[in-house]
Amino acid sequence: MNKRKAGIMINEIPFGNFPVLFRQCGLDFFILDDEHGGFDYREIYNIINASRLIGGIECIVRIPSNERRDITKFMDMGADSLLLPMTSRAEDIRKVVQYAKYAPIGERGISTMRAHTLYAPPPLLQYMESANARTKVYAQIETAEGVENIDEILSVEGVAGFLMGPNDLSASYGCLGNDRAEEILKAIEKTTASAKKIGKISGIITGNAAYLTKAKECGMQMFSKGSELSLLAEGIRRTVSSLCEEKV
């Protein structure tokens, strides 16, 4: 069985050395949320750069859309991977591959005296090949249509795999409020089986215990649970409890 990989989301706090802390604590990857998060480009660059310099941890940027502008910037900043939310059709993720991968896979713009080469670009053709191999594109599956089209989505050349988002998927299926929805459990089975068949990576972003258990049983590989904000809130509550609650 492939080793399970543990990750976390960065939602709002632009601390540049989060990648160092995360790696020291044993995490395998983190997702920098530029879909909902209010980060500016310099804040994103600082986090990506720290990740590249320390190594050993995958930096996945969740992009706001599949448009060229942000994809080009994040790849040239040195992001390891991109995650496209609300991926419902193969065409959605194909555009990300087009802008994130160099020829012959895609049409990524070429500018190599940048952070993504650590300012020491090797011969161009050699670098283009190695960059295509190093960087990943993930689909975030969080619609019923995305589950239905999972084979086509994962079959796109240049797509490394998917991460499921059960919250929005529950909204799509109309089962919000059910913490053990049969629709989500079946979607986990279907999408994981597709990834195994096609030879792609599968994962999930959730703190739901039932869905995490099902994902492990099905053989998913990547697990993102919580965020820097949820960990901070939990730590504050524990501190308040330890200081203010009377022991019986």
Side-chain angles (χ1 to χ4, degrees):
M1 182 182 70
N2 291 332
K3 175 185 177 293
R4 291 178 187 147
K5 294 185 177 181
I8 195 172
M9 185 87 71
I10 300 178
N11 279 351
E12 292 188 2
I13 302 174
F15 175 49
N17 277 333
F18 265 138
V20 180
L21 176 63
F22 292 163
R23 185 189 169 204
Q24 296 290 65
C25 292
L27 290 178
D28 300 293
F29 70 94
F30 65 92
I31 301 170
L32 178 55
D33 186 14
D34 195 47
E35 179 193 12
H36 297 288
F39 301 105
D40 63 36
Y41 287 128
R42 178 54 53 182
E43 291 166 344
I44 293 171
Y45 168 78
N46 288 339
I47 293 171
I48 291 174
N49 192 49
S51 179
R52 286 299 306 280
L53 290 176
I54 190 174
I57 188 166
E58 181 180 0
C59 172
I60 304 172
V61 180
R62 182 158 70 175
I63 53 181
S65 72
N66 59 5
E67 297 303 310
R68 182 179 186 274
R69 184 187 70 169
D70 284 336
I71 292 172
T72 297
K73 289 182 185 294
F74 297 149
M75 297 308 289
D76 284 355
M77 289 178 191
D80 296 306
S81 311
L82 300 178
L83 175 64
L84 179 67
M86 296 291 180
T87 305
S88 295
R89 297 168 298 276
E91 303 83 64
D92 300 335
I93 201 71
R94 190 173 285 115
K95 285 188 67 177
V96 180
V97 173
Q98 177 185 354
Y99 301 135
K101 297 286 187 179
Y102 291 117
I105 299 173
E107 302 172 5
R108 177 180 171 183
I110 301 171
S111 181
T112 57
M113 182 51 80
R114 301 279 181 176
H116 63 99
T117 66
L118 297 178
Y119 306 102
L124 182 58
L125 293 180
Q126 173 189 329
Y127 178 70
M128 290 169 67
E129 182 177 357
S130 65
N132 279 348
R134 184 184 72 81
T135 57
K136 297 182 178 70
V137 172
Y138 296 103
Q140 186 164 352
I141 302 300
E142 46 189 345
T143 66
E145 186 180 6
V147 173
E148 182 65 26
N149 294 329
I150 190 63
D151 284 359
E152 292 82 0
I153 290 168
L154 294 181
S155 294
V156 173
E157 183 182 9
V159 172
F162 78 91
L163 297 174
M164 179 178 286
N167 286 344
D168 282 307
L169 186 56
S170 294
S172 182
Y173 280 127
C175 57
L176 276 173
N178 184 347
D179 291 337
R180 195 181 175 83
E182 193 64 27
E183 296 92 334
I184 304 301
L185 297 172
K186 288 180 178 178
I188 291 171
E189 288 182 357
K190 176 180 173 65
T191 54
T192 308
S194 176
K196 287 180 179 178
K197 177 180 64 178
I198 299 172
K200 299 295 178 76
I201 299 167
S202 59
I204 192 166
I205 305 169
T206 187
N208 180 296
Y211 299 153
L212 285 171
T213 297
K214 183 66 172 178
K216 291 175 183 178
E217 291 172 350
C218 290
M220 278 191 176
Q221 300 146 297
M222 298 179 70
F223 298 85
S224 177
K225 180 181 179 182
S227 69
E228 90 285 24
L229 296 177
S230 63
L231 289 180
L232 181 60
E234 289 169 11
I236 292 171
R237 292 188 187 102
R238 285 196 299 269
T239 298
V240 171
S241 176
S242 70
L243 294 175
C244 299
E245 289 187 4
E246 296 292 339
K247 291 190 181 279
V248 179

